[in-house]
Amino acid sequence: MAFDEPTIAEILRRQGISRRGFLKFCATTASLMALPPSMVPAIAAALEKARRPSVIWLSFQECTGCTESLTRSHTPSIEGLILEQISLDYHHTLQAASGEAAEAAREAAMRENHGKYLLVVDGSIPMGNAGYSTIAGVSNLDMLKETAAGAAAVIAVGSCAAYGGLPAALPNPTGAVPVSAIIKDKPVMNVPGCPPIPVVITGVLAHFLTFAALPELDDHGRPKVFYGESIHDRCYRRPFYDQGKFAETFDDEGARKGWCLFKLGCKGPVTYNACATTKWNQGVSFPIQSGHGCIGCSEPGFWDMGPLYKPLSMPIAPVQMMVGAAAAGGAIAGAAMAMRNRAAKKSAQAAHQKVTVEDLEKAK
Amino acid sequence: MTALELLTWARGPGLSIALAVCAFGILLRLFEIFGLGRKADLSRPRDHSPGSGWRTIVSRSLPPPGMVKQAPVTYIGGYVFHLGFAITLFFFVPHIELVRGLTGLSWPGLPTQLIDIAAVAGLLALIAVLASRLSNPVKRFLSGFQDYLAWLLTFLPLATGYLAFHHLLIDYTLALALHVLSVELLLVALPFTKLFHTVSVFVSRWYNGDIFGRKGVAS
Amino acid sequence: MPSTDTGAEHGNALPILNEIRHALARLIESGETTVIDLGALPLGPQDEAELFAALGEGEVEATIHAGGPSSVRETAFHGVWLLTHRNEAGETLARFIEVAFVPELLMSQAEDVADSAAALAKKLKPAQNGRTLK
């Protein structure tokens, strides 16, 4: 990121984009970053100065679903993102180079942009045997530490990098941990989801390149603009929850009418994400709109958070046997107590001595 | 531990433990109480009073003449709380889902706006009866630790449920977890405190009515 | 994944219409414009249809060709504009309702006007030297 490099605004201008086009870009960027339209002038001013940041993307124990998601972004498109807005210097799946040339590109980017580049990580890091996951013979842990050392900030993309995800699900055979468990001395932002919404990934990147800083984060290290409200609160079916109208099965009248999916196990009330407003596939739909409850994929440890199709208020494990046994135990204990009480009463009766007036007179 | 993990614990092991303790306790107390036995009453009943026990169940559930005026907070507050609590408990859809999950039984719920009114009424009534208990010297004299404990254990589920539903003060997931945990506390304490009246109230009313009937003051 | 929602009434369009009503009042009183990002609001398929049906079609329709086509359309309510930004591939990037006398983006921007003035001057220079303009 040398300073003779053009700013984002200059790059757009060189492509023949007018001020009007630039303002349109700012307006769609504001929408992308989930910022209010009133922020457009501030975004325009920031983009006048912003330069393309160098981005290094590391993939550890992951399924490439997050990268698949990234490539589905339409605003900005992955091409637009890489050509105009960021300098993606290392990404296994997207880069043309391989082997030593790829690693050399990573090292060069780290050297040239020391202290300024953005590190994006998807996948969790195995703390068990280092050989569980390596890149170019380097363990994930070592590569993360080495690459994070010179980064301005780290973005953990996807539930695996943010919380451990599937690899960390019980019994966690590889000892998988999230990025935040290892990197303590850098700002770490979590962008959870399995995968995260494409435009949320590009949205946080846009935020970093626009304002050269991470957006405001919540307690779980998530950007508040995207993860500030629950699916349930932003769900267009919420009015049905309030009216007490629920789908009871996936093909009943209620389901056809688009009623609330709470009873079918929707985790919308405890899931914080932007699905209900940003939606997926260019804003076409999201799971609830397609008739399936939210499974809560962007919450910590969601793999171990109970059955997907049980309502939130239902018990997770069957309790009938245990309660039955406890009731039987209570009955036995109660009967034993009753018998003891009766025995005590009987013995008191047996020990009872009759006292006559004569006895009392004698005692005088 | 995250809020969701706490909620998961509350919905899983926490609920199992609470229900088990509650079931154990209720059966224990019922066996203990019914096992006590009563001395055979050898005297001839004063009146022939069939059904006195059953009538007392109803009559003691209604305020004696003049008492509503004399102790309005106790009576009105008591009714409003019990009704509000029962409506909230039995007609809020997530609660019905819980019962369905445990027993397979279910019934139609009420719109959340009505539940909301019932819950607020219940909460206000609870606050009013506590204020009256604290300000009235006789009531305060008669109150012990257990009375305040019972009040708190009943207040917490309503309050946390209200906070959770309206997303007030704390994050919803945490509020829901605390709500479930507060109910579990209530379940655990229920058999061993005055809260046991949930199970025993009509039994003792029947017994009192019946015994007084025999003694000549049938209701 | 196509939507399976057959479109029951959710009533989510009504609050937006009320917000527009307030925005119009502000526009008349103080000239303040309001922009509402439709991407930030919970809208079911039926809600969207309801909203657009309620707003109706107005007198003005324009297309901006800058970084992909953007359509700007006045609704049946004067001063209430619907903006849809698309990229070169025609995919919708963002949708806004702008309550204004004229949407900001329809106006020519000062920077662009300055560039154009310079360009025109440059073009006319040879003409002043006695040559004809092509």
Side-chain angles (χ1 to χ4, degrees):
Chain A
M1 193 168 58
F3 278 95
D4 50 352
E5 258 208 29
T7 66
I8 307 281
E10 280 164 2
I11 293 174
L12 293 174
R13 220 169 291 147
R14 278 180 203 177
Q15 293 174 351
I17 291 180
S18 65
R19 179 73 187 175
R20 185 190 270 131
F22 177 65
L23 285 181
K24 169 180 168 177
F25 177 79
C26 293
T28 54
T29 303
S31 179
L32 168 70
M33 293 193 285
L35 294 175
S38 56
M39 286 290 286
V40 168
I43 292 165
L47 284 176
E48 287 288 356
K49 285 178 253 160
R51 283 163 218 279
R52 296 163 74 212
S54 165
V55 175
I56 296 176
W57 184 302
L58 298 177
S59 300
F60 297 142
Q61 295 194 122
E62 45 82 49
C63 68
T64 316
C66 294
T67 294
E68 286 286 350
S69 180
L70 172 74
T71 61
R72 301 305 190 277
S73 171
H74 67 298
T75 169
S77 66
I78 184 69
E79 300 90 346
L81 184 77
I82 294 173
L83 296 176
E84 293 158 14
Q85 298 169 31
I86 62 169
S87 171
L88 189 59
D89 293 325
Y90 182 88
H91 187 307
H92 289 171
T93 316
L94 299 177
Q95 73 196 140
S98 63
E100 277 181 24
E103 295 310 309
R106 178 173 66 89
E107 279 154 21
M110 285 165 58
R111 206 168 42 242
E112 285 162 24
N113 305 297
H114 190 84
K116 285 178 267 178
Y117 61 86
L118 185 64
L119 173 60
V120 181
V121 179
D122 68 331
S124 61
I125 300 97
M127 298 300 274
N129 188 330
Y132 282 140
S133 178
T134 62
I135 298 162
V138 181
S139 76
N140 288 171
L141 180 64
D142 290 343
M143 187 173 280
L144 175 62
K145 281 183 173 170
E146 182 192 321
T147 317
V154 186
I155 301 181
V157 165
S159 291
C160 296
Y163 305 130
L166 182 64
L170 293 173
N172 192 356
T174 63
V177 296
V179 171
S180 56
I182 294 164
I183 306 301
K184 303 283 186 191
D185 56 347
K186 298 275 172 186
V188 176
M189 173 165 67
N190 289 329
V191 184
C194 195
I197 303 172
V199 291
V200 168
I201 306 179
T202 48
V204 295
L205 291 175
H207 196 286
F208 182 80
L209 86 94
T210 307
F211 299 112
L214 297 179
E216 195 190 347
L217 306 179
D218 69 5
D219 293 346
H220 289 310
R222 303 177 290 200
K224 280 185 179 173
V225 282
F226 295 112
Y227 297 90
E229 283 179 279
S230 71
I231 301 289
H232 188 56
D233 280 353
R234 302 299 274 165
C235 182
Y236 75 99
R237 295 193 187 195
R238 176 63 187 265
F240 289 135
Y241 174 85
D242 291 329
Q243 289 161 22
K245 290 177 175 166
F246 297 92
E248 307 279 341
T249 66
F250 282 110
D251 58 354
D252 69 356
E253 188 65 20
R256 274 188 286 276
K257 283 185 173 160
W259 287 356
C260 177
L261 299 165
F262 179 89
K263 288 190 178 181
L264 293 169
C266 183
K267 303 292 178 291
V270 294
T271 305
Y272 293 77
N273 206 334
C275 302
T277 46
T278 302
K279 302 189 182 175
W280 292 72
N281 303 329
Q282 284 90 278
V284 168
S285 182
F286 72 113
I288 293 170
Q289 192 171 332
S290 302
H292 192 287
C294 166
I295 60 171
C297 76
S298 56
E299 286 301 309
F302 100 96
W303 295 101
D304 298 319
M305 292 303 166
L308 298 181
Y309 296 99
K310 271 199 172 183
L312 268 173
S313 60
M314 267 197 187
I316 284 171
V319 295
Q320 286 86 343
M321 279 293 285
M322 188 165 166
V323 171
I332 292 165
M337 258 169 106
M339 261 147 70
R340 213 198 62 182
N341 290 342
R342 286 191 163 214
K345 209 152 86 174
K346 239 184 198 159
S347 68
Q349 269 164 0
H352 182 78
Q353 290 184 345
K354 284 195 176 145
V355 180
T356 58
V357 178
E358 287 78 39
D359 292 337
L360 292 172
E361 288 287 330
K362 257 186 254 168
K364 249 189 197 172
Chain B
M1 186 181 237
T2 66
L4 193 57
E5 280 165 353
L6 188 66
L7 176 63
T8 307
W9 186 87
R11 287 173 66 200
L15 185 73
S16 298
I17 294 167
L19 283 174
V21 171
C22 185
F24 177 87
I26 287 177
L27 266 292
L28 175 88
R29 299 263 343 242
L30 283 180
F31 268 81
E32 190 192 354
I33 291 168
F34 288 120
L36 271 180
R38 293 281 169 179
K39 233 191 248 174
D41 187 354
L42 300 176
S43 64
R44 194 163 54 83
R46 289 285 173 89
D47 263 334
H48 181 64
S49 62
S52 179
W54 297 104
R55 280 196 302 280
T56 305
I57 290 181
V58 178
S59 67
R60 290 245 173 138
S61 301
L62 300 170
M67 283 308 284
V68 174
K69 257 189 195 161
Q70 210 175 319
V73 178
T74 311
Y75 280 95
I76 298 171
Y79 280 117
V80 171
F81 157 69
H82 278 94
L83 269 175
F85 192 85
I87 290 172
T88 313
L89 175 59
F90 292 116
F91 293 100
F92 185 45
V93 170
H95 297 165
I96 301 171
E97 283 304 292
L98 171 65
V99 176
R100 188 166 70 90
L102 290 171
T103 65
L105 297 174
S106 75
W107 53 90
L110 285 175
T112 53
Q113 288 86 348
L114 292 180
I115 301 296
D116 201 25
I117 293 168
V120 171
L123 279 168
L124 292 178
L126 270 178
I127 293 168
V129 296
L130 180 70
S132 149
R133 190 186 278 277
L134 289 171
S135 60
N136 183 317
V138 177
K139 277 191 193 169
R140 200 169 60 209
F141 176 75
L142 290 172
S143 301
F145 169 74
Q146 231 205 71
D147 296 286
Y148 295 110
L149 179 71
W151 183 92
L152 185 70
L153 289 175
T154 333
F155 184 79
L156 284 179
L158 270 179
T160 52
Y162 187 80
L163 290 183
F165 184 77
H166 288 283
H167 296 219
L168 298 170
L169 300 176
I170 37 175
D171 159 71
Y172 175 81
T173 311
L174 182 62
L176 188 61
L178 292 178
H179 176 62
V180 177
L181 287 172
S182 70
V183 173
E184 285 163 8
L185 269 184
L186 179 71
L187 284 174
V188 166
L190 187 135
F192 310 107
T193 59
K194 291 183 179 181
L195 295 168
F196 193 65
H197 77 266
T198 351
V199 177
S200 64
V201 61
F202 295 123
V203 177
S204 59
R205 274 183 193 165
W206 179 88
Y207 181 77
N208 280 335
D210 193 68
I211 201 105
F212 282 123
R214 283 181 70 93
K215 288 178 179 173
V217 278
S219 56
Chain C
M1 233 181 341
S3 166
T4 62
D5 198 319
T6 50
E9 305 244 330
H10 300 92
N12 293 318
L14 201 62
I16 302 176
L17 290 170
N18 270 310
E19 201 179 328
I20 294 171
R21 184 167 62 87
H22 290 294
L24 277 174
R26 279 198 302 274
L27 182 65
I28 296 162
E29 273 169 34
S30 61
E32 184 193 337
T33 66
T34 305
V35 184
I36 301 167
D37 183 356
L38 289 180
L41 299 166
L43 285 173
Q46 187 68 8
D47 294 319
E48 250 177 54
E50 257 179 65
L51 178 68
F52 296 145
L55 290 174
E57 303 269 342
E59 294 170 345
V60 184
E61 235 184 287
T63 307
I64 298 170
H65 298 279
S70 293
S71 80
V72 182
R73 191 164 66 68
E74 194 174 28
T75 66
F77 301 93
H78 292 274
V80 182
W81 301 78
L82 186 65
L83 278 75
T84 307
H85 294 310
R86 295 193 181 81
N87 61 14
E88 307 285 3
E91 294 164 325
T92 303
L93 305 178
R95 288 179 309 172
F96 298 96
I97 286 174
E98 190 163 339
V99 180
F101 291 114
V102 63
E104 166 85 15
L105 277 186
L106 269 191
M107 289 193 273
S108 294
Q109 302 297 314
E111 290 90 335
D112 292 339
V113 175
D115 285 352
S116 301
L120 188 59
K122 201 173 165 191
K123 215 165 194 180
L124 284 175
K125 232 177 186 173
Q128 283 163 349
N129 292 344
R131 275 186 267 160
T132 49
L133 196 66
K134 253 191 234 170

